[in-house]
Amino acid sequence: MLHREGSIACAGLLLAAAMPVQAQDATMPLGASAQGDVSVTIYNNDQALVQDVRQLAIPRGRSTVVLPDVSARIRPETLGFATADAGIVEQNFDFDLLTPGSLMEKAVGRPVTLIRTNPGTGAEVRERATVLSTAGGVVVQIGERIEVLRDDGLPVRVIFDEVPPNLRARPTLSVTVDSTAAGSRPVAIRYLTTGLAWNADYVALFDEAAGTMAMQGWITLNNQTGTTFSNARTLLVAGSPGTGQPQYGPTRRAGVAPFQPGTGSAQRERVGDYYLYPLAQPTTIASNQTKQVSFLDVQGVPARRAFFREVPWLTSDEAPVNATSLIQFSTGAAGPETGLGDALPAGTVRFYQRDQAGNPQFIGEDQVRHSPAGSQLGLTTGEAFDITVEAQVTARERISAGEFAASARYRVTQDDGSTSTATVEQAVEYWRTTMRYTLTNARSQPVEVDLLQSGLSNNWWLNDTRAVQESVMGRQLDADRRLHVVPVPANGRADVTVTYETRY
C-alpha cells in the first residue's frame, strides 16, 4: 500500500495517508487546476459570479460528476449546472478539506499505525493503535494501555490506512446526473461566492498653482475564496446587487462640498443599474492574493483647493477651530474646462502635492462614492494648519408675537360615524439670535472659506427661519443649512455677523 507522509504541528506528529486517485485526474499534472474556461464577475458587496466550462466524460445512466477547484466559499444554493443529454439528480459540496487535523479527527475510532524512531539509534518501532479522541490532544489505545501523543518533539509518525471519502484535497463539488448518452461533452457550472472582492484606489497629484491634478485609478482585487482562478476572464461591476437582506449603513453629507450627482453618460457598458469594468486580458487571481490593475490615467484635470467649517446651531467655541481643507473637481467630460471624463467607482482617493524640491508628498485621503459622469466632488484632505474659524453667539433674545395661532386642527371620527373638529391653540415664540464668526488666515495669499451654518431647521413645523441681517450675503442650501463664502485677506482676518429669527 502506498503511504504519503505529512506533518501535524498541533501534536508534533508526522502523518501519512494512501490517497486514491480519481480516474478523471489520472493525466492531470500535480498541482494543475481542474478548471476549464473560467470567467469571474466581481461585485462591490463581497459577492462574485463564477462561470466555468469544463470538458468531461460522462457515462450513460446515473453517475457522479466530480468538480474540484470550486470556491471554498461557494453558495451551493446558487449553483447552475448544464450539459447536453443529462439531467441533475443531486449535488453536494464537500468543504471538509484534507488537513493533518481533519485527517486525525476522522480517524477517531479507527486503527492507525504509529512509528516511533529512537533518536540515538534511528531504529523504528511500529505499533497498531486506535484513535480515541482528538479534543485538546490525541488520545490513542495501544493494546491494553491508553496513551497521549505529546507535542514533545520526539519523532513519531502516524500512518493512516486510507483517506476518509468525505475529505477532499481541494474544495470539490459533486453532482449526480442521469445521462441519456455516453461521451465527452462540455459541462457548464455557474455559482455565486463570497470571498472575492474589488475596490478602486486612486492616486491624485494636485498642482495648486496650475489649478489642475493628474489622477490614476487602480482596481484592487482580493481573493479569499481558498481557490485560485487561473487565466480567468474578469469583469468588475460597480454596484452592489441585492442579496435579499436588508441594507443598512450611514449616509454621508459632505458639508459645504456636497456630492452633486452628474447627469452625463459615461462611455462604458452597463448591465441593469451597474457599470462594467472588464480587464483587458485574462488574469490569474491566486488564492490569498491582492492584485492591482490600472483602469484610469488622466492628466490636467481642473481642480481647486477649498476650505470650510460647518457650525452647529448655537455654537460658541472656546477656541478657534481649524478649517477643513478639501479638493474640488468634476467627473465631467475630459478637457481643460471640464473634468475626469468618466464615472468613478467608489474607492479611496489619495492626494499628493509636490514640495519646493519637486518631490511629491502625501497630503491626505478621502472616500469617494459611486459617482456618475458630470458629478461635482469635494474630498477632504485634512485640517488647514493656518486657517481658523471661531463662532460665537453674541446675542439671543425672545421676541413676543403678541398673538396666538391655531397650530393644529384635527378631525375626530366617533364609533357611530359622526365627526367633530377641535382646535388646539398655543403661543408662538420667536427668537432673535446674532452669530459672529471670526476667520483668520496666516498664509501669504488670500483665501476663501466656505462657512456653513447648520441646525436651522429644528423640526418640520419649525422651519420658519430667517436671516434678517448679514454682513456677508449667504445662500440657503436647504431648510437646515445656510452657506457664506467668506474672503479672508492674506495674513489677515475677517468678521462675519448674521442675525437669525427663528421659532425656537
Side-chain angles (χ1 to χ4, degrees), residues 3-25:
H3 299 293
R4 298 186 180 181
E5 298 182 355
S7 64
I8 176 171
C10 63
L13 307 175
L14 293 178
L15 309 180
M19 302 184 61
V21 180
Q22 298 181 13
Q24 70 174 45
D25 297 330

Side-chain angles (χ1 to χ4, degrees), residues 10-337:
C10 63
L13 307 175
L14 293 178
L15 309 180
M19 302 184 61
V21 180
Q22 298 181 13
Q24 70 174 45
D25 297 330
T27 60
M28 184 177 298
L30 184 63
S33 173
Q35 296 168 354
D37 182 15
V38 180
S39 63
V40 179
T41 303
I42 308 175
Y43 304 88
N44 285 127
N45 57 345
D46 189 32
Q47 185 168 238
L49 170 65
V50 178
Q51 302 183 75
D52 187 356
V53 180
R54 309 184 185 190
Q55 192 73 22
L56 299 178
I58 301 178
R60 181 185 178 88
R62 181 170 292 196
S63 63
T64 299
V65 177
V66 178
L67 301 164
D69 294 316
V70 298
S71 168
R73 297 175 63 177
I74 184 177
R75 295 171 56 191
E77 72 278 7
T78 67
L79 174 70
F81 179 94
T83 189
D85 304 320
I88 186 170
V89 177
E90 178 183 283
Q91 69 181 40
N92 297 283
F93 174 56
D94 300 322
F95 54 86
D96 201 355
L97 297 182
L98 178 62
T99 66
S102 64
L103 193 58
M104 185 63 81
E105 290 173 0
K106 297 297 183 183
V108 171
R110 297 176 178 272
V112 297
T113 299
L114 301 183
I115 301 179
R116 305 177 190 270
T117 303
N118 187 311
T121 65
E124 292 186 346
V125 177
R126 291 180 175 240
E127 293 180 296
R128 292 292 283 177
T130 300
V131 181
L132 300 181
S133 174
T134 60
V138 180
V139 182
V140 297
Q141 180 175 357
I142 305 172
E144 298 299 324
R145 72 181 191 272
I146 307 298
E147 185 172 330
V148 176
L149 299 184
R150 298 174 300 172
D151 185 14
D152 54 9
L154 293 178
V156 178
R157 299 199 308 275
V158 179
I159 305 299
F160 297 87
D161 296 335
E162 61 181 359
V163 174
N166 56 344
L167 283 184
R168 299 284 186 177
R170 295 176 288 185
T172 300
L173 187 69
S174 59
V175 181
T176 302
V177 298
D178 193 355
S179 177
T180 59
S184 179
R185 71 201 76 174
V187 173
I189 59 173
R190 179 180 63 250
Y191 60 87
L192 294 175
T193 180
T194 59
L196 264 176
W198 78 278
N199 61 276
D201 289 281
Y202 304 92
V203 177
L205 182 60
F206 177 55
D207 187 338
E208 187 169 7
T212 62
M213 71 176 181
M215 179 175 284
Q216 291 179 316
W218 294 89
I219 287 170
T220 302
L221 303 175
N222 192 303
N223 182 6
Q224 299 296 324
T225 63
T227 301
T228 294
F229 299 95
S230 302
N231 202 35
R233 288 175 283 112
T234 304
L235 179 66
L236 309 175
V237 176
S240 302
T243 59
Q245 302 296 322
Q247 301 291 317
Y248 301 104
T251 57
R252 179 188 178 207
R253 186 176 69 187
V256 300
F259 168 74
Q260 298 179 12
T263 58
S265 297
Q267 300 302 311
R268 288 192 177 273
E269 183 183 355
R270 294 179 56 185
V271 168
D273 296 319
Y274 314 112
Y275 281 106
L276 306 184
Y277 293 81
L279 300 192
Q281 301 293 332
T283 187
T284 294
I285 311 173
S287 178
N288 298 320
Q289 181 189 65
T290 297
K291 178 188 291 284
Q292 283 195 313
V293 181
S294 175
F295 79 101
L296 178 70
D297 192 349
V298 185
Q299 307 291 321
V301 178
R304 63 180 291 266
R305 187 185 298 278
F307 305 95
F308 79 89
R309 161 107 194 267
E310 180 173 354
V311 180
W313 181 238
L314 298 181
T315 294
S316 285
D317 295 321
E318 296 182 357
V321 176
N322 293 88
T324 298
S325 176
L326 55 85
I327 295 177
Q328 296 175 325
F329 59 96
S330 168
T331 62
E337 301 299 328

